[in-house]
Amino acid sequence: MSDEKRVAKLEIDGKSYDLPIFSPTAGPDVIDIRKLYGTAGVFTYDPGFTSTASCDSTITFIDGDKGELQHRGYPIDQLAEKSHFLEVCFLLLYGELPSPAQLEDFESRVTNHTMLHEQMQYFFRGFRRDAHPMAIMVGVVGAMSAFYHDSTDVRDEWQREVASIRMIAKMPTIAAWAFKYSIGQPFVYPRNDIDYASNFLRMCFGVPTEDYQVNPILSRAMDRIFTLHADHEQNASTSTVRLASSSGANPFACIAAGIACLWGPAHGGANQACLEMLREIGTPDRIPEFIARAKDKDDPFRLMGFGHRVYKNFDPRAKVMKQSADEVLELLGVENNPTLQVAKELEAQALADPYFSEKKLFPNVDFYSGIILEAMGFPTSMFTPIFAVSRTVGWISQWKEMIADPQMKIGRPRQLYQGATLRDYVDIEKR
Ligand code: ACO
């Protein structure tokens, strides 16, 4: 919302410029600098976008200081407890919780798009068996534009809708097949008579020779992992999707760009890195050594699963995830799992250490998600693909919001140039 009366005053070399201030429905005010270059001839400088709002959005709100996350106004802990992933998908995509009839229709539309074009399996088979499933996902999702031409025209609202449903529906199949391919097992086709999370578990752990019975507690935990990761405002991968699509690129290519960004260990790859770190620590007596390394300025080591660009308090998703970890491990009879013991002790020791409290470093969602996924039987290489399955709806909701925005412009940041100034070319024999 704009408040025309409020302006920020900027003075440069004795000249003053008025910059409008906008007040959001929640969160800090925003200074509108869009005309700054045109009027004052200067750019703003903000590598890492720590103080920059890149768009208007009505989807997700985070209060990092309080540790709150809301989708369309609904707190994540209520959604995790009372809702389920496909209902949250509807909420993110269309703005409101669905009526029973709307939910039934949405679930049926998603369910009826879970199968992949049969030709796509040859695409999978072109990868090396030891390829990381994220590498396969980047490739296969990008290739969807070659298989589903009829939903690549971003100016057509109907095609945008079909592409959205297709991606939410097919992403679990793609991730499960990337896993199956890596372990040399046959692809398991999706089934329409079981829910989204159960279907994913069945495609990952089922084999053609036996019936696979999905454990409802594991299916509920899987659904909760999907729900907790569904969207997270303008994070790195979402901003990547928005920037890629600002050029009008097709949605499959843009989501593939988001998956590529998610892969990094500072973002979606952190759950894999966190579990590997917990295993490396191995026993609680080695925790002080690792905490000392994390605090040492000359050591690049960081406590994975700790810290967040936005949360300067507990990540609200981490609280739910910790509770889920306890439930799942108890169900599986592995509550004395050594990795969980290390995680709990590490969390306690880090929270008691002034270094972490002064820098406001708290456990993030990735601290416990890896422990649950490992207990369910997933290898670490599948952690980030599962994150990608969950986040697809967030990327798509943000993409749809952007495309429908009449103010949409191609994203084109400027720079603080520090290179050589104009000089003449020197012929090679004179160098
Ligand atoms: N361990 C030790 N020190 C840390 C950690 C950590 N995990 N995270 C931040 N710090 C320290 C930094 O060294 C820095 O200290 P300084 O001010 O003395 O130089 C200070 O805290 C601020 O760190 P920045 O890197 O500037 O914070 P930023 O907001 O850029 O980074 C990030 C956030 C990337 C998440 C960081 O906390 C990190 O690397 N964490 C570990 C990786 C991780 O868990 N990522 C998952 C993020 S959640 C997600 O993607 C779902």
Side-chain angles (χ1 to χ4, degrees), residues 17 19 33-44 414:
Y17 302 89
L19 302 169
I33 55 157
R34 280 175 295 179
K35 296 198 175 130
L36 186 62
Y37 177 57
T39 53
V42 293
F43 300 142
T44 56
R414 304 306 295 258

Side-chain angles (χ1 to χ4, degrees), residues 265-268 270 294 297 302-309 312 317 355-356 359 361 364-366 387:
H267 191 11
K297 284 240 160 286
R302 282 186 170 198
L303 275 194
M304 300 314 286
F306 256 80
H308 196 276
R309 169 58 63 79
K312 301 303 167 199
R317 302 166 301 172
Y355 173 92
F356 294 91
K359 292 187 189 300
L361 298 169
N364 59 49
V365 67
D366 293 320
F387 193 161

Side-chain angles (χ1 to χ4, degrees), residues 281-334:
I281 297 174
T283 47
D285 57 299
R286 295 191 63 207
I287 290 172
E289 176 197 329
F290 282 80
I291 289 193
R293 283 187 61 196
K295 288 158 60 176
D296 182 354
K297 284 240 160 286
D298 299 324
D299 188 332
F301 173 78
R302 282 186 170 198
L303 275 194
M304 300 314 286
F306 256 80
H308 196 276
R309 169 58 63 79
V310 181
Y311 293 120
K312 301 303 167 199
N313 201 324
F314 256 89
D315 179 339
R317 302 166 301 172
K319 288 186 193 163
V320 183
M321 202 63 94
K322 185 176 184 180
Q323 189 197 335
S324 266
D326 286 335
E327 281 168 20
V328 168
L329 296 186
E330 193 188 330
L331 168 84
L332 297 172
V334 285

Side-chain angles (χ1 to χ4, degrees), residues 18-253:
D18 284 352
L19 302 169
I21 297 177
F22 297 125
S23 294
T25 50
D29 288 348
V30 167
I31 300 171
D32 178 1
I33 55 157
R34 280 175 295 179
K35 296 198 175 130
L36 186 62
Y37 177 57
T39 53
V42 293
F43 300 142
T44 56
Y45 178 62
D46 185 17
F49 308 114
T50 50
S51 300
T52 297
S54 61
C55 60
D56 289 48
S57 186
T58 60
I59 302 173
T60 291
F61 173 70
I62 302 173
D63 186 324
D65 291 328
K66 290 191 191 146
E68 288 174 359
L69 166 63
Q70 298 160 14
H71 295 317
R72 308 285 192 184
Y74 297 103
I76 190 66
D77 46 328
Q78 288 185 21
L79 294 173
E81 191 194 333
K82 298 182 177 168
S83 183
H84 58 91
F85 182 62
L86 283 187
E87 187 177 65
V88 172
C89 288
F90 186 100
L91 175 68
L92 288 168
L93 282 168
Y94 308 114
E96 296 296 337
L97 288 169
S99 67
Q102 284 172 323
L103 183 60
E104 195 184 329
D105 170 65
F106 180 70
E107 288 185 338
S108 137
R109 280 192 290 144
V110 171
T111 306
N112 283 303
H113 278 92
T114 49
M115 238 163 54
L116 299 181
H117 189 294
E118 189 61 8
Q119 206 66 15
M120 283 187 89
Q121 60 164 289
Y122 299 105
F123 202 78
F124 279 84
R125 293 184 199 284
F127 287 96
R128 282 170 57 138
R129 289 275 177 197
D130 59 357
H132 194 290
M134 281 300 274
I136 299 183
M137 287 192 78
V138 174
V140 172
V141 173
M144 281 175 81
S145 46
F147 288 89
Y148 302 102
H149 304 129
D150 57 345
S151 51
T152 51
D153 182 354
V154 298
R155 290 159 306 175
D156 181 327
E157 198 180 336
W158 183 82
Q159 293 200 28
R160 295 204 296 265
E161 179 65 18
V162 176
S164 307
I165 297 289
R166 277 186 170 144
M167 272 183 283
I168 294 167
K170 293 182 199 306
M171 208 60 87
T173 316
I174 293 172
W177 283 21
F179 174 48
K180 282 298 195 195
Y181 185 73
S182 72
I183 54 173
Q185 287 189 2
F187 298 135
V188 175
Y189 287 84
R191 269 181 49 176
N192 288 359
D193 58 344
I194 49 177
D195 64 83
Y196 192 88
S198 303
N199 198 21
F200 177 63
L201 290 172
R202 189 182 159 275
M203 286 189 288
C204 288
F205 299 120
V207 283
T209 46
E210 284 172 22
D211 253 3
Y212 178 78
Q213 297 300 329
V214 185
N215 182 318
I217 297 187
L218 294 189
S219 155
R220 174 77 192 130
M222 191 74 251
D223 190 88
R224 212 173 242 190
I225 289 175
F226 289 152
T227 301
L228 290 176
H229 290 87
D231 190 46
H232 213 229
E233 207 228 59
Q234 308 311 321
N235 57 84
S237 56
T238 302
S239 297
T240 302
V241 171
R242 279 189 178 255
L243 194 58
S245 38
S246 75
S247 71
N250 78 69
F252 305 111

